[in-house]
Amino acid sequence: MLDVRRLQVLRSVVTSGSVSAAATALGYTPSAVSQQVAALERQAGTALLERAGRGVRPTAAGLLLAEHAAAIERRLAEAGAALADLLTGRNGSLTVRYFATAGAELVAPAVAAFRADHPGVRLDLASTDPADPLPEVLDGRADLAVVVRPRTAEQPGLRLVHLLDDPYRAVLPKGHPLAARRVLDLADLAGEPWVGSERPGPCLDTVLDACAAAGFRPRVAVDGEDYRAAQGFVAAGLGVALVPLLGLDRRHPGVAVRRLRGPEPVRTIQAAVREGAWGQPVLDRLLDALGGRARAAAPPPGPRGESRRTVTRRTVTRRRSP
């Protein structure tokens, strides 16, 4: 393989027209320049320079290699500039995975703000199964995933950045006797038929754990599968449902939505980032945008000054040392 440094020396000789001029430009001695050219000729297997009066001129092979050396220098300069842009977050690429309700209410506005400030960054965005998108992050197929995980969760090889707490609300048919109350105890729903709104996974676990703490397991009469379908079944009088606030952006006109207590189920939404990718400027900028959107999405304080959705910026769950 041809030595790039020697190619650069040859190019300097060709552009300046003499060994001594090239030596001055490069800060070498004329002897060192001659040695570099001679070594490159041995690598190339042919003469690269020939005498021309008091100077030298390139052979056909020397001119060819000098042209390639110029192209290499341009590419090296481009690489240096691209690296500088990457290290300052001006370019690069990110692959982001998210679940449906986080995509609409959290990821989309955050990405819009991020693109406005970082138009040179390429983004690959795709919805994924909320149950387990973490393998994509762990094996490098995704740089960041928005997931539902408890605050205390730990995952080897990942850092979890807390974005927001998304509380569940009771969704009742309009005219239901419980709809006359502003706040319901979760146990008030124990005897009601339920419309399922969650698939198996961390979101459903949040609901079932809260019901267990209230002393019952819900009796599911209809599986609504998603939040909009669940609201339709509730409006038809087939049961009650629990839906998180992010899933209530479009409320069915036939339902009433009430706060819960004793306990209030809350799903915790976090950004999962691979340990090896942590600290990359472009990724850090996207986390900033997600955190900003999470703060903006928080509703006004509830009764007694309590925030209905708690938002924390950059609470990181670190991997435990072995």
Side-chain angles (χ1 to χ4, degrees):
M1 182 180 293
L2 298 177
D3 187 282
V4 173
R5 183 180 61 180
R6 291 169 182 164
L7 286 170
Q8 291 173 327
V9 172
L10 172 66
R11 179 172 180 268
S12 183
V13 174
V14 171
T15 55
S16 64
S18 71
V19 170
S20 59
T24 300
L26 296 172
Y28 293 170
T29 64
S31 175
V33 170
S34 296
Q35 290 173 10
Q36 291 292 321
V37 173
L40 184 60
E41 288 179 326
R42 289 193 296 272
Q43 283 186 311
T46 187
L48 302 175
L49 298 173
E50 60 185 13
R51 289 287 178 184
R54 293 185 178 183
V56 293
R57 65 186 174 200
T59 64
L63 184 60
L64 174 70
L65 291 184
E67 291 172 350
H68 280 282
I72 290 171
E73 287 186 17
R74 288 194 297 271
R75 294 302 300 271
L76 288 173
E78 291 170 1
L83 178 61
D85 286 344
L86 178 66
L87 295 178
T88 55
R90 290 192 295 270
N91 71 8
S93 62
L94 288 173
T95 299
V96 180
R97 298 293 178 255
Y98 54 87
F99 58 95
T101 51
E105 296 298 313
L106 181 60
V107 177
V111 165
F114 177 84
R115 280 191 186 279
D117 294 332
H118 304 86
V121 177
R122 299 186 305 276
L123 290 172
D124 174 9
L125 306 168
S127 179
T128 188
D129 184 353
D132 197 13
L134 297 184
E136 288 192 68
V137 179
L138 284 167
D139 64 18
R141 287 178 291 143
D143 298 295
L144 180 149
V146 178
V147 299
V148 173
R149 286 294 185 278
R151 275 181 176 266
T152 56
E154 293 192 1
Q155 178 76 39
L158 295 177
R159 295 196 188 191
L160 297 177
V161 180
H162 179 258
L163 295 175
L164 59 86
D165 293 331
D166 190 21
Y168 280 80
R169 296 292 184 253
V171 180
L172 312 168
K174 276 197 171 177
H176 192 287
L178 291 174
R181 295 161 54 182
R182 293 181 58 192
V183 182
L184 304 179
D185 290 319
L186 184 56
D188 293 336
L189 305 178
E192 300 287 335
W194 279 49
V195 174
S197 62
E198 304 281 13
R199 297 179 181 179
C203 295
L204 180 58
D205 292 343
T206 297
V207 172
L208 294 179
D209 289 347
C211 291
F216 73 99
R217 182 176 180 85
R219 178 173 57 87
V220 178
V222 181
D223 187 359
E225 289 193 354
D226 62 46
Y227 302 137
R228 294 187 68 183
Q231 290 188 65
F233 284 117
V234 171
L238 300 180
V240 301
L242 261 59
V243 176
L245 278 179
L246 285 185
L248 289 169
D249 57 317
R250 296 181 181 179
R251 298 190 183 186
H252 193 290
V255 303
V257 177
R258 297 293 181 264
R259 296 183 65 229
L260 289 164
R261 64 188 176 193
E264 178 186 58
V266 178
R267 66 176 186 176
T268 300
I269 299 176
Q270 308 209 57
V273 179
R274 194 169 59 259
E275 284 277 5
W278 184 258
Q280 293 183 16
V282 66
L283 190 56
D284 197 57
R285 304 296 191 278
L286 181 57
L287 284 168
D288 286 340
L290 287 168
R293 176 55 192 170
R295 291 190 293 274
R304 298 182 298 280
E306 296 176 355
S307 175
R308 294 185 184 179
R309 187 181 301 154
T310 304
V311 178
T312 304
R313 178 67 182 100
R314 292 297 180 89
T315 299
V316 178
T317 302
R318 299 177 182 270
R319 180 177 56 180
R320 288 188 183 137
S321 299

